[in-house]
Amino acid sequence: MKKLFFSAVALVAFSSVSMANTIEIDEKKVMDDPKTDFCSNVAADVMISVDPGCNLPDATYNAMYQDALNLCLKNTTLIKH
């Protein structure tokens, strides 16, 4: 019984200590930029056009998406009205 009581006290004590130095991180939404929204859609369209039967690894698909996104961002200028 003493071990159970000690374990419960230790659990409460250490859990409060672990929460003492927590900080809140503000998240920024990357998709607020119209150019990024447009290029994200373009890169998604490129990925949809890839033949699913070629069974590429996930890392390759991710690299292809990132390359398409970066290429679009580099070469796109949106006109603001």
Side-chain angles (χ1 to χ4, degrees), residues 2-39:
K2 289 180 184 179
K3 289 181 183 179
L4 180 64
F5 179 71
F6 176 74
S7 296
V9 170
L11 177 67
V12 171
F14 288 123
S15 66
S16 64
V17 169
S18 69
M19 293 187 298
N21 280 337
T22 57
I23 57 172
E24 189 171 328
I25 298 174
D26 293 331
E27 294 182 22
K28 285 187 176 180
K29 190 174 180 187
V30 177
M31 302 302 283
D32 288 342
D33 183 20
K35 184 176 177 181
T36 305
D37 286 345
F38 172 77
C39 288

